[in-house]
Amino acid sequence: MRVDSEKSFGTRECPSCATEVPANENRCPICSYEFPNTNPRQRGMKLWGAILMLLLLLALVLAAYL
Ligand SMILES: [Zn+2]
């Protein structure tokens, strides 16, 4: 029985050159395209950063009006 390590991870298509890249690879071996990190925790951190920036901007606008 053959164990295909690439199959267990699945593949995703490189948006740059349309090559099937193993899902465990973060970089395309053909064109070196770097896949964006899809870590949900990191995405959440980014979202919070955006919300914080928005609140800061709102506070600055409010401060200008008061
Ligand atoms: Zn590629």
Side-chain angles (χ1 to χ4, degrees), residues 12-21 28 30-35:
R12 53 187 162 176
E13 192 177 274
C14 172
S16 185
C17 67
T19 301
E20 289 291 322
V21 181
C28 173
I30 309 300
C31 69
S32 322
Y33 169 85
E34 265 189 74
F35 288 93

Side-chain angles (χ1 to χ4, degrees), residues 6-59:
E6 279 187 15
K7 212 155 221 169
S8 62
F9 282 107
T11 57
R12 53 187 162 176
E13 192 177 274
C14 172
S16 185
C17 67
T19 301
E20 289 291 322
V21 181
N24 59 324
E25 296 269 354
N26 270 333
R27 187 179 286 197
C28 173
I30 309 300
C31 69
S32 322
Y33 169 85
E34 265 189 74
F35 288 93
N37 203 327
T38 46
N39 192 315
R41 199 206 264 164
Q42 277 195 351
R43 217 187 303 174
M45 286 288 279
K46 240 181 223 174
L47 188 73
W48 275 111
I51 288 168
L52 212 72
M53 282 290 282
L54 210 72
L55 281 173
L56 204 75
L57 207 76
L58 206 75

